Amino acid sequence: MNSMMLKKFFQKRPEQIAAIQKWEYKVVQLFNSQSSSPENASKKLGGTLSAETLKEQFPSIYAEKDGRKQIDRFLNKVGDEGWELIQVENVVGLPLMIFKRLKIES
């Protein structure tokens, strides 16, 4: 902002300033983790839960190995919450996503 724009901004009345859009931001760093297989998890539990039971009871952990579908689900979820993806940066070899949405004052 140049000095003329700043001067005009600060000359506004309080009700005009209140009408300015405000934003909130969310930053999400994706990471790659090798999740345990249901077979290994079953062994760690001493066989008390079978691999099939673990897949059935915890589908978000064991049922889907397609990372793209997991990202699609995540992006659709935050989109449903009103977040808009505005930027993706590569930080330490992993994607960092920045989202914004209108801030609702209560």
Side-chain angles (χ1 to χ4, degrees):
M1 282 184 141
N2 65 32
S3 61
M4 180 63 86
M5 290 174 68
L6 282 172
K7 187 176 181 180
K8 285 182 180 181
F9 176 80
F10 287 111
Q11 289 175 345
K12 293 180 185 280
R13 293 183 299 229
E15 64 271 9
Q16 288 175 309
I17 292 174
I20 294 173
Q21 288 184 336
K22 297 177 183 167
W23 303 97
E24 59 181 328
Y25 296 87
K26 176 188 285 258
V27 177
V28 176
Q29 175 94 46
L30 293 184
F31 61 93
N32 185 11
S33 70
Q34 299 298 325
S35 60
S36 174
S37 71
E39 291 77 16
N40 288 341
S42 178
K43 287 177 188 173
K44 285 182 184 177
L45 294 170
T48 55
L49 293 174
S50 70
E52 293 77 24
T53 300
L54 288 169
K55 280 194 242 180
E56 181 182 304
Q57 295 297 314
F58 304 100
S60 63
I61 297 172
Y62 298 114
E64 196 170 294
K65 296 289 184 187
D66 185 347
R68 288 182 179 152
K69 285 184 183 177
Q70 291 173 336
I71 293 169
D72 284 349
R73 241 190 348 267
F74 168 74
L75 290 172
N76 285 321
K77 178 184 176 289
V78 296
D80 288 344
E81 295 171 358
W83 294 103
E84 174 186 5
L85 178 63
I86 59 169
Q87 188 169 350
V88 177
E89 291 290 328
N90 188 359
V91 178
V92 220
L94 298 169
L96 178 100
M97 298 184 289
I98 302 170
F99 298 85
K100 78 173 186 179
R101 69 178 175 189
L102 278 173
K103 186 173 187 176
I104 311 273
E105 303 274 337
S106 51

